[in-house]
Amino acid sequence: MTALSHTTEVVDPVPGAGAPHLPDQPDLVQLLTPEGERVEHPDYALDVTAEELRGLYRDLVLVRRWDSEATALQRQGELGLWASLLGQEAAQVGAGRALAADDMAFPTYREHGVAWTRGVDPLHVLSLFRGVDQGGWDPVTTGFNLYTVVIGAQTLHATGYAMGMQRDGAESATLAFLGDGATSQGEVNEALIWASTFAAPVVFFCQNNQYAISAPIERQSRVPLFQRAAGFGFPGVRVDGNDVLAVLAVTRAALAAARDGQGPTFIEAFTYRMGAHTTSDDPTRYRLASELEEWKLRDPIARVKAHLSRSGIADADFFAGVEADADALAERIRSGTRELAPPAPTEIFDHVYAEMPPELARQRAEFVEYHSGFEGAGQ
């Protein structure tokens, strides 16, 4: 036997693995080009008013500002961690605005833009990343479930919730968010099987941001992710995830089909994570700066601004007003985050049950009595 003198990584060749990250995408649904030109799609017509277009632009700008302020706060030690959505604003705002009031969204830990569209206070999200609570918003009131850090678990929650809606006779749907890396998780595939088997009113919205932390999509799948839906027996569609109008149209249609009893749809929003996976990640170790520069040409906010300007829908005063709103939001986030107080120790008992059972009440009383013995003792 001859021993190897060095270790060599053996990589199973994947079709297209050597291709650039911006190949032609013939199956990509697009309604707004990177240059801001409005185009039509035969299957996804979208009528939006000038006011709605301005509103979408405002959403995109404010969500990005929220994200940049949160990143800065984490660097200053005010947050334990932050998962940036930079570059994915259109995917999240478009999908969020497609939801009806009675629908329910099931996020991962990055859907800050969806939270914004559902009326969740940014400070409630930031309190979670600051570690002062487990999520301060009411999922029932907002139609937006609590963040899920366990990769892919929320797809099972969404499918089960959708099956409950189905049995209750509700004309509503659920929207399950996941990343491209989550498609390799068993929970996701189980959710797809159950959703297909029971024709559950759930839409799976996959933000393919090209990387599962450091693993590129070419190392994860031999086919475009949306094509996997056919193997489970329901439709899949790929949409330009940097086109807020296309995302809105495609998600709205998929949710309408789910409510109408046509079962699930898998949406692959083809986008790009322009920042780090989280603030503990260094993307320069696994991707080239030139790749990021290419994707900057597809910036979701720039294309909407170009469209608004060229079509005369918005003027300089409007854009200045949005920037002023963003500045005000940034100040509120900075001051509000620093003012988030740590919870009282007894809160660990207070939010477990709707009505506290006697045994837990006894434990709480013992806890309070024990800690009272340290008062004034310098502990």
Side-chain angles (χ1 to χ4, degrees), residues 100-117:
D102 293 334
D103 293 336
M104 176 65 79
F106 286 81
T108 67
Y109 45 80
R110 198 187 302 276
E111 272 67 56
H112 322 311
V114 185
W116 173 267
T117 66

Side-chain angles (χ1 to χ4, degrees), residues 61-209:
V61 172
L62 268 60
V63 164
R64 177 170 292 186
R65 187 60 176 274
W66 169 11
D67 182 72
S68 65
E69 291 298 327
T71 299
L73 284 166
Q74 194 282 330
R75 297 306 189 203
Q76 296 163 16
E78 299 293 343
L79 301 178
L81 188 74
W82 183 250
S84 174
L85 57 64
L86 184 62
Q88 299 177 222
E89 297 90 352
Q92 296 190 15
V93 169
R97 290 301 180 195
L99 287 159
D102 293 334
D103 293 336
M104 176 65 79
F106 286 81
T108 67
Y109 45 80
R110 198 187 302 276
E111 272 67 56
H112 322 311
V114 185
W116 173 267
T117 66
R118 300 303 275 175
V120 175
D121 189 330
L123 291 175
H124 284 164
V125 176
L126 291 163
S127 67
L128 173 64
F129 286 90
R130 191 171 171 85
V132 301
D133 59 38
Q134 302 300 314
W137 64 92
D138 183 351
V140 176
T141 301
T142 60
F144 185 76
N145 199 46
L146 297 177
Y147 275 21
T148 303
V149 179
V150 179
I151 305 299
Q154 71 283 352
T155 59
L156 285 172
H157 306 159
T159 300
Y161 195 96
M163 292 171 64
M165 287 178 166
Q166 191 179 54
R167 282 151 179 74
D168 289 342
E171 296 181 359
S172 303
T174 65
L175 186 57
F177 290 89
L178 64 150
D180 48 286
T183 60
S184 299
Q185 293 288 336
E187 292 96 329
V188 172
N189 290 272
E190 291 167 4
L192 297 175
I193 290 169
W194 278 82
S196 177
T197 300
F198 292 93
V202 55
V203 174
F204 299 96
F205 190 91
C206 175
Q207 293 174 80
N208 177 5
N209 65 18

Side-chain angles (χ1 to χ4, degrees), residues 106-324:
F106 286 81
T108 67
Y109 45 80
R110 198 187 302 276
E111 272 67 56
H112 322 311
V114 185
W116 173 267
T117 66
R118 300 303 275 175
V120 175
D121 189 330
L123 291 175
H124 284 164
V125 176
L126 291 163
S127 67
L128 173 64
F129 286 90
R130 191 171 171 85
V132 301
D133 59 38
Q134 302 300 314
W137 64 92
D138 183 351
V140 176
T141 301
T142 60
F144 185 76
N145 199 46
L146 297 177
Y147 275 21
T148 303
V149 179
V150 179
I151 305 299
Q154 71 283 352
T155 59
L156 285 172
H157 306 159
T159 300
Y161 195 96
M163 292 171 64
M165 287 178 166
Q166 191 179 54
R167 282 151 179 74
D168 289 342
E171 296 181 359
S172 303
T174 65
L175 186 57
F177 290 89
L178 64 150
D180 48 286
T183 60
S184 299
Q185 293 288 336
E187 292 96 329
V188 172
N189 290 272
E190 291 167 4
L192 297 175
I193 290 169
W194 278 82
S196 177
T197 300
F198 292 93
V202 55
V203 174
F204 299 96
F205 190 91
C206 175
Q207 293 174 80
N208 177 5
N209 65 18
Q210 311 303 311
Y211 287 94
I213 307 182
S214 60
I217 185 63
E218 294 88 350
R219 297 287 294 275
Q220 300 178 63
S221 180
R222 293 180 181 268
V223 298
L225 295 178
F226 78 97
Q227 292 182 3
R228 291 186 176 187
F232 294 93
F234 55 85
V237 58
R238 175 183 274 185
V239 61
D240 184 346
N242 286 19
D243 176 357
V244 68
L245 299 185
V247 173
L248 176 62
V250 169
T251 311
R252 184 179 286 172
L255 287 168
R259 297 187 204 101
D260 197 39
Q262 298 179 41
T265 300
F266 186 96
I267 298 174
E268 177 190 355
F270 197 77
T271 183
Y272 189 77
R273 192 193 76 219
M274 296 177 71
H277 174 69
T278 68
T279 45
S280 64
D281 171 45
D282 179 8
T284 63
R285 299 185 64 182
Y286 54 82
R287 68 186 188 190
L288 299 174
S290 58
E291 180 183 302
L292 176 59
E293 293 303 314
E294 278 189 289
W295 275 94
K296 284 182 179 179
L297 300 176
R298 296 188 169 196
D299 186 279
I301 298 179
R303 71 173 69 183
V304 178
K305 185 174 184 178
H307 176 67
L308 292 175
S309 299
R310 293 172 184 174
S311 60
I313 295 175
D315 56 16
D317 289 341
F318 167 76
F319 294 121
V322 172
E323 289 303 318

